[in-house]
Amino acid sequence: MRTSQKSAYVALSETEHDGFGLRTSSTIVPSDEIFAQVGLHEVLDASRTLPVVIAKNEPAFAMVCGVERGRNLMLDPTGNLRREAYVPEVWRHYPLVALSTRDDTFVCAVHDPMSNLAADAEVPLFKDGTRSEKLTAAVDSFQAFANAGVAARTMIEELGGLGLLVENSATLQPVGGAKVTVGPYRVVDIEQVNAMIERGAYGRKGASRLALVFAIALSQRNWRTLLDWMGDGP
């Protein structure tokens, strides 16, 4: 078992980790993450909790879950998940995570193995070389998420082709803390969306109604949710 290394992640192996399991089985939101990637099927639900933006140089959706390392907006002051918080699919199996590889596939790994991985656990991840039900569910979820990435790229390309995406950033001030700049990222220019709707342009210039729904969900207007929590705005 290679958990003596200082790496924050260790890829799971059916030979090296046979009989090993997780110390915790509950969903935990990593406290040091600023962005959490969300799939196309999650964008609308996620945007009801916190803003969803598009990475500057990558065709992927991401939910803004924190504005500085070690402080997560999805957690309340006691460290518990906020009641209204949406947990991204990629975190629902935490501490199991998917690590991207150079050939655009992924490997299933454990975050912080020294704390989360235990020998002779009650529910092992592998037993005699066979995946457990929990590990199988995580791998299937990660694979479905990876497959959905194609649809996400298509939607983002459509929004960009319509001239709706603009680069932005925001300066936020946590209560009692220093100002933090989030970005740059891409969001939707809601004025352009409204103008398109008023012109009745959707359906004639390749703008589907679905694209407009996502455009509104990804607009700057969604920053109000975050700013209401933080106090001061940009």
Side-chain angles (χ1 to χ4, degrees):
M1 175 182 173
R2 300 174 183 173
T3 55
S4 59
Q5 58 185 318
K6 294 183 179 179
S7 172
Y9 302 92
V10 61
L12 290 174
S13 164
E14 60 186 26
T15 55
E16 292 187 40
H17 299 117
D18 191 63
F20 284 82
L22 301 178
R23 295 182 189 275
T24 176
S25 59
S26 59
T27 298
I28 300 174
V29 178
S31 62
D32 61 350
E33 295 292 338
I34 294 177
F35 297 100
Q37 190 170 346
V38 293
L40 184 63
H41 58 298
E42 300 178 277
V43 168
L44 298 183
D45 286 334
S47 65
R48 295 189 183 102
T49 297
L50 286 173
V52 174
V53 300
I54 301 169
K56 179 183 177 182
N57 299 316
E58 185 179 354
F61 298 109
M63 186 172 77
V64 181
C65 58
V67 293
E68 58 183 341
R69 295 190 70 81
R71 185 175 189 278
N72 193 296
L73 295 180
M74 297 179 68
L75 305 177
D76 65 21
T78 65
N80 294 316
L81 275 174
R82 292 184 183 273
R83 182 177 302 177
E84 70 277 21
Y86 178 82
V87 179
E89 189 170 305
V90 293
W91 281 356
R92 292 178 193 169
H93 301 282
Y94 184 85
L96 297 177
V97 297
L99 299 182
S100 299
T101 61
R102 293 182 178 179
D103 57 356
D104 292 328
T105 58
F106 71 89
V107 295
C108 191
V110 173
H111 180 242
D112 191 8
M114 293 298 293
S115 300
N116 294 320
L117 205 58
D120 301 320
E122 183 176 347
V123 182
L125 295 173
F126 295 99
K127 188 64 175 178
D128 298 327
T130 302
R131 292 177 185 169
S132 68
E133 186 175 328
K134 180 178 180 62
L135 180 56
T136 298
V139 171
D140 289 347
S141 177
F142 295 153
Q143 186 61 64
F145 190 93
N147 294 341
V150 176
R153 287 193 292 272
T154 299
M155 176 62 72
I156 292 171
E157 289 172 359
E158 180 175 0
L159 294 173
L162 293 169
L164 299 180
L165 296 182
V166 294
E167 188 174 308
N168 204 348
S169 62
T171 301
L172 309 175
Q173 174 132 28
V175 177
K179 290 184 177 180
V180 179
T181 299
V182 179
Y185 50 80
R186 289 181 292 167
V187 291
V188 170
D189 187 339
I190 193 62
E191 293 183 0
Q192 291 291 338
V193 175
N194 291 335
M196 180 175 290
I197 294 174
E198 290 176 3
R199 296 196 309 270
Y202 57 81
R204 292 206 305 266
K205 293 187 177 181
S208 65
R209 290 178 184 269
L210 181 60
L212 293 182
V213 169
F214 275 87
I216 293 171
L218 293 165
S219 71
Q220 298 99 317
R221 192 164 62 192
N222 263 323
W223 278 100
R224 293 312 319 168
T225 306
L226 181 59
L227 300 181
D228 287 345
W229 278 7
M230 299 304 295
D232 297 333

